[in-house]
Amino acid sequence: MKCPICKYGEMKDGFTQVVLTRGNATVIFRNVPAQICDDCGEYYLDEKTAQDVCKRADQCFSSGQEVTIMEYKQPISA
């Protein structure tokens, strides 16, 4: 699939870093599975992964931590 941003690159399976900020707090997830453009580097998460990242980030933001760095581990399917 062509990248919807740059229109040149191809989207490839890979891993990326996701950085989310709310107010003065920042959460960094490392090694998140994603589709990554081989030209511009833009990434896209599938819906399940995006929801999981947001849920985990909300927990960090709610705990009052200012900076959190996590290795992303996919949830175990039930």
Side-chain angles (χ1 to χ4, degrees), residues 39-67:
D39 187 57
C40 72
E42 186 69 28
Y43 68 85
Y44 295 89
L45 306 180
D46 66 39
E47 185 176 353
K48 185 176 179 181
T49 302
Q51 288 175 347
D52 186 49
V53 165
C54 288
K55 178 181 172 187
R56 292 181 193 193
D58 280 340
Q59 291 170 345
C60 292
F61 293 138
S62 296
S63 73
Q65 297 177 43
E66 287 188 25
V67 177

Side-chain angles (χ1 to χ4, degrees), residues 48 74-78:
K48 185 176 179 181
Q74 289 183 310
I76 299 171
S77 298

Side-chain angles (χ1 to χ4, degrees), residues 14-18 29-34 36 41 43-45 72:
F15 295 89
T16 193
Q17 178 173 286
V18 176
F29 292 94
R30 299 185 313 195
N31 294 314
V32 180
I36 304 168
Y43 68 85
Y44 295 89
L45 306 180
Y72 182 79

Side-chain angles (χ1 to χ4, degrees), residues 8-19:
Y8 296 106
E10 291 292 326
M11 302 305 289
K12 308 278 185 183
D13 289 335
F15 295 89
T16 193
Q17 178 173 286
V18 176
V19 179

